Amino acid sequence: MDPQEVKVSTNFIQEIIDRDRKANKYGGRVHLRFPPEPNGYLHIGHAKSICLNFGLAAQNGGLCNLRFDDTNPSKEEAEYIASIIEDVRWLGFDWGGRLFYASDYFEKMYSYALRLIERGKAYVCDLSPEEIRRYRGTFTEPGKESPYRERSVEENLDLFQRMRAGEFSDGARVLRAKIDMASPNLNLRDPVLYRILKASHPRTGDKWCIYPMYDYAHPLEDYFEGITHSLCTLEFEDHRPLYEWVLNTLNLPDPPQQIEFARLNLTNTVMSKRRLRQLVEGGYVEGWDDPRMPTLAGLRRRGYTPQSIRDFCDRIGVAKSNSVVDVRFLENCIREDLNKEAPRVMGILHPLKLIIDNYPEDQVEELEGENNPEDPAAGKRKIPFSRILYIEQEDFCKAPPPQYFRLAPGREVRLKNAYIIKAEGVVKEEKTGEIKEVHCTYDPESRSGKPGAERKVKGTLHWVSAGQALKVEVRLYDYLLLDHKEKITEEQSEEQPEEQAETEDFIKQLNPRSREVLTDCLVEPSLARAPVGSRYQFIRKGYFCVDPDSIPHKLVFNQIVSLRDTWSKVLKTGS
RNA sequence: UGAGGGAUCGUCUAGUGGUAGGACACCAGACUCUGGAUCUGGGAGCGGUGGUUCGAGCCCACCUCCCUCAGCCA
């Protein structure tokens, strides 16, 4: 058995499911759903919900539907539907043909609304939006009943049918639940159930001009699909009484139950649709699939694997307390995955010419390198070696600091999979004093794999052969935000409108160096036909993924994540 | 200050009256032809005050702090 399949996560929702199954509630069925609104791109926060819902279904022998909550045509667009479907599938989940749309239930929802009216539990209200707000009262004062609250069933039926027929303009009337204007829970102060919206719906076109509100539609959607456990985020906690009111008032058997959990927050990034949109529309990133974005499209392009994201969602757990997960946790997940899977190659980000003075001028040797030391089955590959190589600029230092194991004048170092070399001298740019090339000698007896080549040297460098290397572009990424949620509360002066202050603060915190494009990088020739989306470890540097911007003779790599870098820590603590 | 939630290492999360555990991060060491990986070790936590109990992170009381809600958004 695959040990990964055996892993079962425990959390408070699983406990509820356990109790329900034991009590044979819902006849022992477990049926969940992931209900996105098609009004934007999915991000890693959605991934948490997707993994939770599909994961719980799977580990309880249940089902999970994919359902588009398309009850608001003024905000939703068909193009999002395709991207959401793609993203959920990419993450690795299967809804087994149970792809549904709230809009498919409009007719049924309408007839249930009629039933509510007949039972005296809903009425048509002619108050304007502004008036409704005023009548609602405040946290501390009860609301006032609408003057239209006591209309007869007949009149309500007639008016509601005419609302549907399009006789009234947007906002002229709404259908409201008749609950309790004095309820301490504002959601129960006669909430709006239907509004008039003369907008064309992506799926139903102009068939409808009244659309159900979330609070009315959602419990019914769940009920229609036989959902047992309806998971949503914390901010809907106050809505649960209304969710239950709809189901109970309609007297529906085996009503699904709503369970709330804390949404995902990640350090060093933003997650709200509003801010994500600001990034895109403000030109701070290249688009929704910019590799810096926490969208699934962005993470995919960046090179994150679906399994690493699933693993992450699994390991962060689920609870009811608000939390902010350190983005390094996510990075750990992708490193762990790629360490096992990614083939190793050599690539130079900042080239420095290295000339081996005692190596034959026109000779090119074929050396061999392991594709993945973590996986011997990955085999080996040929790597050309010659007199002129490139190494990383930071791997040579004229006046090395303490603890520096790399190349320095008079010092020896191993070239990975090749020879031990010794630095003999440098050639400098006359004017700037910048080091143009390093000259060295090699020890012919030290070739990797050769008997007697086991001589130890402190450092090992990666390199490419000048004549065979491929010139590529590499895009390095850093966090979108420098810090997370500092100041947001502290710096708001009372004068400043809250919204504006927060926006400015968030833009102020943007990392000006979140992206660095290197156009003169060199990689070993084995990468010549690397397909878009393929991932590699550039030895000693990090994991990289071939970007779709690549063209035949110019590969473009995205840095997925760097390798853990102990040396940079040594440097930092030293200075 | 109405209602509904929440508080356990730096972070996330277990613990459901009986030795507070794991993961990430961090620190130290071993190993290494990747300063990667791996291995070993370490520091680090129950918001507060009382109470019940032989025994409390868990039960009770009071307090503190944090989050959500006044859309015809979801």
Side-chain angles (χ1 to χ4, degrees), chain A residues 135-150:
Chain A
Y135 274 66
R136 188 155 29 225
T138 67
F139 288 144
T140 48
E141 309 156 55
K144 257 189 345 201
E145 293 188 350
S146 161
Y148 305 98
R149 199 172 199 259
E150 298 307 331

PDB file of all heavy atoms in Angstrom, chain A residues 135-150:
ATOM      1  N   TYR A 135     -33.368  50.961   8.423  1.00  0.00           N
ATOM      2  CA  TYR A 135     -34.323  50.152   9.197  1.00  0.00           C
ATOM      3  C   TYR A 135     -33.635  49.003   9.926  1.00  0.00           C
ATOM      4  O   TYR A 135     -34.189  48.419  10.833  1.00  0.00           O
ATOM      5  CB  TYR A 135     -35.408  49.575   8.273  1.00  0.00           C
ATOM      6  CG  TYR A 135     -36.571  50.498   8.032  1.00  0.00           C
ATOM      7  CD1 TYR A 135     -36.399  51.694   7.335  1.00  0.00           C
ATOM      8  CD2 TYR A 135     -37.854  50.172   8.478  1.00  0.00           C
ATOM      9  CE1 TYR A 135     -37.459  52.544   7.097  1.00  0.00           C
ATOM     10  CE2 TYR A 135     -38.927  51.005   8.241  1.00  0.00           C
ATOM     11  CZ  TYR A 135     -38.734  52.191   7.550  1.00  0.00           C
ATOM     12  OH  TYR A 135     -39.802  53.025   7.314  1.00  0.00           O
ATOM     13  N   ARG A 136     -32.464  48.656   9.466  1.00  0.00           N
ATOM     14  CA  ARG A 136     -31.819  47.482  10.053  1.00  0.00           C
ATOM     15  C   ARG A 136     -31.335  47.726  11.479  1.00  0.00           C
ATOM     16  O   ARG A 136     -31.128  46.798  12.242  1.00  0.00           O
ATOM     17  CB  ARG A 136     -30.623  47.064   9.175  1.00  0.00           C
ATOM     18  CG  ARG A 136     -30.020  45.740   9.611  1.00  0.00           C
ATOM     19  CD  ARG A 136     -29.287  45.012   8.495  1.00  0.00           C
ATOM     20  NE  ARG A 136     -28.746  45.945   7.530  1.00  0.00           N
ATOM     21  CZ  ARG A 136     -28.848  45.794   6.201  1.00  0.00           C
ATOM     22  NH1 ARG A 136     -29.469  44.730   5.692  1.00  0.00           N
ATOM     23  NH2 ARG A 136     -28.328  46.680   5.393  1.00  0.00           N
ATOM     24  N   GLY A 137     -31.162  48.989  11.841  1.00  0.00           N
ATOM     25  CA  GLY A 137     -30.661  49.282  13.178  1.00  0.00           C
ATOM     26  C   GLY A 137     -29.158  49.145  13.232  1.00  0.00           C
ATOM     27  O   GLY A 137     -28.492  49.144  12.206  1.00  0.00           O
ATOM     28  N   THR A 138     -28.624  49.039  14.445  1.00  0.00           N
ATOM     29  CA  THR A 138     -27.173  48.931  14.595  1.00  0.00           C
ATOM     30  C   THR A 138     -26.855  47.764  15.520  1.00  0.00           C
ATOM     31  O   THR A 138     -27.748  47.036  15.933  1.00  0.00           O
ATOM     32  CB  THR A 138     -26.582  50.208  15.210  1.00  0.00           C
ATOM     33  OG1 THR A 138     -27.052  50.306  16.558  1.00  0.00           O
ATOM     34  CG2 THR A 138     -26.979  51.429  14.423  1.00  0.00           C
ATOM     35  N   PHE A 139     -25.561  47.644  15.850  1.00  0.00           N
ATOM     36  CA  PHE A 139     -25.168  46.570  16.761  1.00  0.00           C
ATOM     37  C   PHE A 139     -25.923  46.662  18.086  1.00  0.00           C
ATOM     38  O   PHE A 139     -26.271  45.655  18.689  1.00  0.00           O
ATOM     39  CB  PHE A 139     -23.675  46.657  17.056  1.00  0.00           C
ATOM     40  CG  PHE A 139     -22.822  46.259  15.888  1.00  0.00           C
ATOM     41  CD1 PHE A 139     -21.624  46.898  15.648  1.00  0.00           C
ATOM     42  CD2 PHE A 139     -23.226  45.242  15.029  1.00  0.00           C
ATOM     43  CE1 PHE A 139     -20.830  46.539  14.570  1.00  0.00           C
ATOM     44  CE2 PHE A 139     -22.438  44.877  13.949  1.00  0.00           C
ATOM     45  CZ  PHE A 139     -21.240  45.530  13.723  1.00  0.00           C
ATOM     46  N   THR A 140     -26.112  47.889  18.515  1.00  0.00           N
ATOM     47  CA  THR A 140     -26.672  48.054  19.853  1.00  0.00           C
ATOM     48  C   THR A 140     -28.159  48.410  19.870  1.00  0.00           C
ATOM     49  O   THR A 140     -28.794  48.329  20.907  1.00  0.00           O
ATOM     50  CB  THR A 140     -25.898  49.154  20.617  1.00  0.00           C
ATOM     51  OG1 THR A 140     -25.780  50.292  19.781  1.00  0.00           O
ATOM     52  CG2 THR A 140     -24.511  48.657  21.002  1.00  0.00           C
ATOM     53  N   GLU A 141     -28.698  48.830  18.707  1.00  0.00           N
ATOM     54  CA  GLU A 141     -30.129  49.145  18.683  1.00  0.00           C
ATOM     55  C   GLU A 141     -30.859  48.188  17.756  1.00  0.00           C
ATOM     56  O   GLU A 141     -30.347  47.861  16.688  1.00  0.00           O
ATOM     57  CB  GLU A 141     -30.374  50.555  18.133  1.00  0.00           C
ATOM     58  CG  GLU A 141     -29.561  51.653  18.774  1.00  0.00           C
ATOM     59  CD  GLU A 141     -29.414  52.829  17.819  1.00  0.00           C
ATOM     60  OE1 GLU A 141     -30.448  53.341  17.355  1.00  0.00           O
ATOM     61  OE2 GLU A 141     -28.263  53.184  17.510  1.00  0.00           O
ATOM     62  N   PRO A 142     -32.045  47.762  18.158  1.00  0.00           N
ATOM     63  CA  PRO A 142     -32.827  46.873  17.301  1.00  0.00           C
ATOM     64  C   PRO A 142     -33.270  47.590  16.037  1.00  0.00           C
ATOM     65  O   PRO A 142     -33.279  48.820  15.980  1.00  0.00           O
ATOM     66  CB  PRO A 142     -34.028  46.504  18.160  1.00  0.00           C
ATOM     67  CG  PRO A 142     -34.127  47.575  19.179  1.00  0.00           C
ATOM     68  CD  PRO A 142     -32.729  48.065  19.415  1.00  0.00           C
ATOM     69  N   GLY A 143     -33.636  46.809  15.015  1.00  0.00           N
ATOM     70  CA  GLY A 143     -34.114  47.413  13.784  1.00  0.00           C
ATOM     71  C   GLY A 143     -35.592  47.745  13.863  1.00  0.00           C
ATOM     72  O   GLY A 143     -36.248  47.453  14.858  1.00  0.00           O
ATOM     73  N   LYS A 144     -36.077  48.377  12.797  1.00  0.00           N
ATOM     74  CA  LYS A 144     -37.498  48.719  12.707  1.00  0.00           C
ATOM     75  C   LYS A 144     -38.130  47.840  11.647  1.00  0.00           C
ATOM     76  O   LYS A 144     -37.521  47.548  10.625  1.00  0.00           O
ATOM     77  CB  LYS A 144     -37.633  50.184  12.275  1.00  0.00           C
ATOM     78  CG  LYS A 144     -37.994  51.113  13.386  1.00  0.00           C
ATOM     79  CD  LYS A 144     -38.331  52.521  12.910  1.00  0.00           C
ATOM     80  CE  LYS A 144     -37.940  52.882  11.494  1.00  0.00           C
ATOM     81  NZ  LYS A 144     -37.831  54.335  11.241  1.00  0.00           N
ATOM     82  N   GLU A 145     -39.360  47.458  11.870  1.00  0.00           N
ATOM     83  CA  GLU A 145     -40.013  46.613  10.877  1.00  0.00           C
ATOM     84  C   GLU A 145     -40.399  47.419   9.646  1.00  0.00           C
ATOM     85  O   GLU A 145     -40.826  48.565   9.739  1.00  0.00           O
ATOM     86  CB  GLU A 145     -41.246  45.949  11.499  1.00  0.00           C
ATOM     87  CG  GLU A 145     -40.822  44.963  12.585  1.00  0.00           C
ATOM     88  CD  GLU A 145     -41.970  44.125  13.112  1.00  0.00           C
ATOM     89  OE1 GLU A 145     -43.140  44.426  12.776  1.00  0.00           O
ATOM     90  OE2 GLU A 145     -41.690  43.171  13.851  1.00  0.00           O
ATOM     91  N   SER A 146     -40.250  46.793   8.515  1.00  0.00           N
ATOM     92  CA  SER A 146     -40.605  47.439   7.258  1.00  0.00           C
ATOM     93  C   SER A 146     -42.115  47.647   7.189  1.00  0.00           C
ATOM     94  O   SER A 146     -42.883  46.793   7.632  1.00  0.00           O
ATOM     95  CB  SER A 146     -40.163  46.552   6.092  1.00  0.00           C
ATOM     96  OG  SER A 146     -40.853  46.913   4.921  1.00  0.00           O
ATOM     97  N   PRO A 147     -42.528  48.754   6.648  1.00  0.00           N
ATOM     98  CA  PRO A 147     -43.977  48.987   6.489  1.00  0.00           C
ATOM     99  C   PRO A 147     -44.628  47.956   5.556  1.00  0.00           C
ATOM    100  O   PRO A 147     -45.847  47.825   5.542  1.00  0.00           O
ATOM    101  CB  PRO A 147     -44.058  50.395   5.907  1.00  0.00           C
ATOM    102  CG  PRO A 147     -42.693  50.718   5.426  1.00  0.00           C
ATOM    103  CD  PRO A 147     -41.730  49.900   6.224  1.00  0.00           C
ATOM    104  N   TYR A 148     -43.836  47.243   4.790  1.00  0.00           N
ATOM    105  CA  TYR A 148     -44.395  46.269   3.845  1.00  0.00           C
ATOM    106  C   TYR A 148     -44.411  44.858   4.423  1.00  0.00           C
ATOM    107  O   TYR A 148     -44.726  43.891   3.748  1.00  0.00           O
ATOM    108  CB  TYR A 148     -43.582  46.280   2.547  1.00  0.00           C
ATOM    109  CG  TYR A 148     -43.498  47.673   1.961  1.00  0.00           C
ATOM    110  CD1 TYR A 148     -42.381  48.479   2.181  1.00  0.00           C
ATOM    111  CD2 TYR A 148     -44.567  48.197   1.227  1.00  0.00           C
ATOM    112  CE1 TYR A 148     -42.312  49.759   1.680  1.00  0.00           C
ATOM    113  CE2 TYR A 148     -44.509  49.486   0.720  1.00  0.00           C
ATOM    114  CZ  TYR A 148     -43.382  50.263   0.945  1.00  0.00           C
ATOM    115  OH  TYR A 148     -43.333  51.541   0.451  1.00  0.00           O
ATOM    116  N   ARG A 149     -44.002  44.763   5.675  1.00  0.00           N
ATOM    117  CA  ARG A 149     -43.812  43.447   6.301  1.00  0.00           C
ATOM    118  C   ARG A 149     -45.098  42.642   6.406  1.00  0.00           C
ATOM    119  O   ARG A 149     -45.075  41.417   6.391  1.00  0.00           O
ATOM    120  CB  ARG A 149     -43.235  43.650   7.701  1.00  0.00           C
ATOM    121  CG  ARG A 149     -42.571  42.406   8.277  1.00  0.00           C
ATOM    122  CD  ARG A 149     -41.861  42.769   9.582  1.00  0.00           C
ATOM    123  NE  ARG A 149     -40.871  41.773   9.945  1.00  0.00           N
ATOM    124  CZ  ARG A 149     -41.077  40.837  10.873  1.00  0.00           C
ATOM    125  NH1 ARG A 149     -42.213  40.773  11.511  1.00  0.00           N
ATOM    126  NH2 ARG A 149     -40.120  39.951  11.136  1.00  0.00           N
ATOM    127  N   GLU A 150     -46.217  43.336   6.536  1.00  0.00           N
ATOM    128  CA  GLU A 150     -47.461  42.599   6.774  1.00  0.00           C
ATOM    129  C   GLU A 150     -48.324  42.478   5.536  1.00  0.00           C
ATOM    130  O   GLU A 150     -49.533  42.301   5.611  1.00  0.00           O
ATOM    131  CB  GLU A 150     -48.246  43.245   7.926  1.00  0.00           C
ATOM    132  CG  GLU A 150     -47.503  43.218   9.256  1.00  0.00           C
ATOM    133  CD  GLU A 150     -47.012  41.829   9.682  1.00  0.00           C
ATOM    134  OE1 GLU A 150     -47.656  40.809   9.308  1.00  0.00           O
ATOM    135  OE2 GLU A 150     -45.955  41.750  10.354  1.00  0.00           O
TER     136      GLU A 150
END
